[in-house]
Amino acid sequence: MCGNNMSAPLPAIVPAARKATAAVIFLHGLGDTGLSFHFILSFEAQQFLILMIKYFSLLLMLVVTYRRNHCQVHGWAEAFAGIRSSHIKYICPHAPVMPVTLNMNMAMPSWFDIIGLSPDSQEDEPGIKQAAENVKALIEQEVKNGIPSNRIILGGFSQGGALSLYTALTTQQKLAGVTALSCWLPLRASFPQGPISGVNRDISILQCHGDCDPLVPLMFGSLTVEKLKTLVNSANVTFKTYEGLMHSSCQQEMMDIKHFIDKLLPPVD
């Protein structure tokens, strides 16, 4: 539904328990789907190891063991079902399957191509922009369904979080907020040195990151929040870190997301 083609299956949806007056659109990470994320770290880490040196194999074992013992092992749709509010619809789209350069051009679910993991790596600018346009189309569909865009929160994890930030900062659809987990700001050099001029210059952003993330290091999150505070009202940008958390989510992070969503999308009836 989103991404660089329209061949992906329809999104996983957690419907509102009563009339939907608000929505959350949440984009999964590289190699994942809207229904699941329990395998994402091990898959991404394996690809990371192919390109890096051998000692990362020990890191992979530690990461996978940590996730199994401490982190959620269900899908994003199920995660939102566990924290949902009765008037909110939760939409978890699936990325299309495409070759990913970082994965030696093997095909996997991906919103856009990823060439490298370093801050100065080349980026897939056409793919990122096309993926953002497709996310905007999803937002517009919810507007047609009767939910105003300012009652929609956009969010995502890892690659999906990166796309959610880029989309929110470039769309002319006024959004309620963004939840950006374990991610970075794509094409950051394309943004102005000062505040953006778009409708979301006062948008509320909740950015979350594990302090032990080996794939998208905390430094990426810190650089991102610094940039975001120059682009939008800095008073509306919140950055939360989680001790011992790797490239994953956890119960405390999900509760922080729930509080953020419920504050911005209260019932209207």
Side-chain angles (χ1 to χ4, degrees):
M1 195 69 175
C2 287
N4 295 331
N5 62 57
M6 303 303 286
S7 62
L10 294 175
I13 294 177
V14 179
R18 51 192 176 94
K19 180 183 177 181
T21 60
V24 172
I25 299 174
F26 192 87
L27 311 175
H28 62 74
L30 177 68
D32 201 7
T33 72
L35 287 171
S36 64
F37 72 100
H38 61 279
F39 61 87
I40 179 172
L41 180 58
S42 58
F43 189 90
E44 286 189 349
Q46 287 178 53
Q47 309 315 310
F48 185 77
L49 293 175
I50 290 173
L51 302 176
M52 301 299 171
I53 52 180
K54 291 182 179 180
Y55 71 78
F56 276 97
S57 60
L58 175 60
L59 174 63
L60 175 61
M61 288 192 297
L62 292 173
V63 165
V64 172
T65 300
Y66 179 90
R67 284 178 57 86
R68 288 174 177 169
N69 292 339
H70 298 282
C71 297
Q72 300 183 54
V73 291
H74 45 63
W76 287 115
E78 184 180 347
F80 281 107
I83 64 168
R84 69 175 175 171
S85 296
S86 61
H87 63 288
I88 300 176
K89 175 183 182 182
Y90 302 84
I91 304 160
C92 299
H94 310 291
V97 174
M98 66 177 67
V100 174
T101 300
L102 184 65
N103 193 32
M104 298 186 300
N105 285 319
M106 295 192 332
M108 61 193 298
S110 185
W111 302 109
F112 50 85
D113 192 19
I114 294 184
I115 293 106
L117 293 174
S118 65
D120 58 351
S121 293
Q122 179 185 348
E123 294 184 271
D124 176 19
E125 182 173 353
I128 292 168
K129 290 182 174 179
Q130 182 58 61
E133 289 303 313
N134 292 335
V135 175
K136 294 172 191 177
L138 265 184
I139 296 169
E140 187 58 35
Q141 183 58 55
E142 290 311 304
V143 172
K144 291 178 180 178
N145 290 340
I147 298 176
S149 65
N150 64 359
R151 294 278 295 167
I152 296 175
I153 287 177
L154 187 59
F157 174 80
S158 193
Q159 187 194 41
L163 180 56
S164 70
L165 283 174
Y166 182 82
T167 304
L169 295 174
T170 57
T171 185
Q172 291 306 307
Q173 301 154 310
K174 187 172 178 60
L175 300 172
V178 180
T179 59
L181 316 183
S182 305
C183 65
W184 67 96
L185 177 62
L187 304 178
R188 64 194 310 269
S190 68
F191 290 98
Q193 294 300 313
I196 61 172
S197 59
V199 296
N200 289 317
R201 56 186 173 273
D202 290 317
I203 195 169
S204 294
I205 299 175
L206 173 63
Q207 189 184 341
C208 302
H209 218 111
D211 68 359
C212 292
D213 192 329
L215 298 183
V216 183
L218 181 60
M219 177 190 69
F220 282 50
S222 299
L223 292 173
T224 295
V225 74
E226 289 177 12
K227 181 65 175 178
L228 289 175
K229 287 183 176 181
T230 70
L231 298 175
V232 301
N233 186 342
S234 61
N236 295 337
V237 179
T238 301
F239 186 42
K240 289 184 176 289
T241 60
Y242 301 88
E243 184 178 1
L245 183 64
M246 295 188 179
H247 196 61
S248 185
S249 185
C250 62
Q251 185 176 5
Q252 183 58 57
E253 184 180 58
M254 292 306 297
M255 291 309 300
D256 289 338
I257 294 168
K258 175 177 173 56
H259 294 152
F260 178 78
I261 292 172
D262 289 348
K263 179 181 179 180
L264 294 179
L265 301 177
V268 294
D269 52 6

